[in-house]
């Protein structure tokens, strides 16, 4: 089941793992981690690479060498106006109309400002962008973002970089049930079991950065994340057994010897 093509924004991907570049110690390690993860889509902030001639440096060359698609993001924006401006700069700089939309509403939690996020999404969709918004785990806001034409919704499992995993699995399930676009779990992933759980909850993919780039062994963790996403996807399709209050023997009574 892991090989089932993944449709996102009208494009087909094999990997359901999206990797961020933030926190990488160096480009050599990042390249190894990207290759180990098997990802086909990598996000990075426009401010990391700049737009001036010659300023893109080795990072873009690295991504091109790895054969992955670039997904610019609007990290650091706090208003719809800022995010729309950065998205348009990224479109001009990288010749792509894909954008991971981030509009941060609070510096302590780095959770999104829902009002500004929705405003920016509406404007960018109307401008022809393929918008992938980082949002909270609010099922109502996720539905509103899908309704205005976003190509996916990307709810946070928990605050960015916290490594706390998925704080509210019930809301992630509600989001999955409430929208017709792909759901990508974004933020809060700490280790491979968090990624597997996201997929078991019905997510279509997982986006993570620091769980890999800040791991003690980033390449090993990238490998673990790739396998976890595949395992979670398989488990979700296989169907878990029902939870029971009491035990249920796996061996039937038939054929039991008389003692």
């Amino acid at each position: 089941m892991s090989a089932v093509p993944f449709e996102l924004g009208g494009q087909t991907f094999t990997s359901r793992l999206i990797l961020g570049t933030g926190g990488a110690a160096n480009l050599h390690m990042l390249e190894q981690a990207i290759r180990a993860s098997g990802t086909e889509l990598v996000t990075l902030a426009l401010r990391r690479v700049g737009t001036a001639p010659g300023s893109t440096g080795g990072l873009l060359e690295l991504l091109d060498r790895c054969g992955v698609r670039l997904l610019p993001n609007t990290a650091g924006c706090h208003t719809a106006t800022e995010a729309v401006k950065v998205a348009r700069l990224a479109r001009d700089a990288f010749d792509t109309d894909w954008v991971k939309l981030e509009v941060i509403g609070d510096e302590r939690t780095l959770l999104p400002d829902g009002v500004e996020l929705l405003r920016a999404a509406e404007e960018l969709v109307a401008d022809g962008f393929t918008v992938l918004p980082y949002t909270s785990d609010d099922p109502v806001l996720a539905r509103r973002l899908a309704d205005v034409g976003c190509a996916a919704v990307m709810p946070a499992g928990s605050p960015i970089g916290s490594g706390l995993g998925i704080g509210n699995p019930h809301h992630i399930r509600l989001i999955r049930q409430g929208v017709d676009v792909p759901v990508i779990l974004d933020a809060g992933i700490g280790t491979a079991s968090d990624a597997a759980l996201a997929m078991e909850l019905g997510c279509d993919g997982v986006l993570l950065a620091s769980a890999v780039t800040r791991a003690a062994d980033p390449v090993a963790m990238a490998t673990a994340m790739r396998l976890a996403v595949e395992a979670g996807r398989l488990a979700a399709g296989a169907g878990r057994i029902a939870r029971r209050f009491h035990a249920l023997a796996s061996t039937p009574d038939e054929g039991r010897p008389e003692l």
Side-chain angles (χ1 to χ4, degrees), residues 3-4 12 49 61 74-75 98 103 114 119 133 135 178 183 188 204 222 238 245 259:
V4 173
T12 301
V49 294
E61 293 173 6
T74 62
W98 281 43
V103 185
R119 283 183 52 209
T135 183
V183 176
D204 300 276
F245 188 74
L259 301 176

Side-chain angles (χ1 to χ4, degrees), residues 42-252:
V42 172
T43 183
L44 77 166
L46 177 66
R47 62 182 179 177
R48 280 199 69 194
V49 294
T51 57
S55 66
T56 51
L59 181 54
L60 292 182
E61 293 173 6
L62 182 159
L63 299 182
D64 184 62
R65 189 163 60 244
C66 291
V68 296
R69 184 179 181 125
L70 172 64
L71 174 62
N73 65 56
T74 62
C77 294
H78 293 79
T79 67
T81 300
E82 290 176 358
V84 169
K85 181 177 180 180
V86 170
R88 288 172 176 160
L89 286 171
R91 178 168 61 184
D92 293 340
F94 306 128
D95 193 27
T96 176
D97 58 8
W98 281 43
V99 62
K100 181 195 173 194
L101 179 61
E102 297 185 26
V103 185
I104 299 302
D106 176 69
E107 283 298 325
R108 190 168 60 91
T109 63
L110 297 180
L111 288 171
D113 182 322
V115 174
E116 293 294 306
L117 180 67
L118 190 58
R119 283 183 52 209
E122 288 177 320
E123 189 166 346
L124 290 171
V125 168
D127 198 19
F129 278 87
T130 297
V131 181
L132 311 176
Y134 160 66
T135 183
S136 66
D137 64 2
D138 179 351
V140 177
L141 178 58
R143 190 174 69 244
R144 292 287 302 277
L145 290 165
D147 288 346
V148 301
C150 291
V153 292
M154 307 175 77
S158 53
I160 292 172
S162 69
L164 291 172
I166 300 174
N168 195 334
H170 181 60
H171 275 203
I172 300 301
R173 281 199 181 94
L174 288 174
I175 289 173
R176 176 59 286 170
Q177 294 171 4
V179 301
D180 293 328
V181 297
V183 176
I184 312 294
L185 198 289
D186 181 2
I189 296 291
T191 189
S193 56
D194 299 330
L197 176 58
M199 300 303 292
E200 291 173 8
L201 292 172
C203 291
D204 300 276
V206 171
L207 191 155
L208 57 90
S210 55
V212 164
T213 59
R214 294 189 170 121
D217 186 339
V219 177
M221 186 60 83
T223 303
M225 292 298 183
R226 171 174 57 80
L227 296 173
V229 168
E230 294 175 1
R233 174 70 177 170
L234 284 169
R240 65 164 297 144
I241 63 171
R243 290 181 171 86
R244 297 173 58 87
F245 188 74
H246 292 294
L248 175 65
S250 58
T251 303

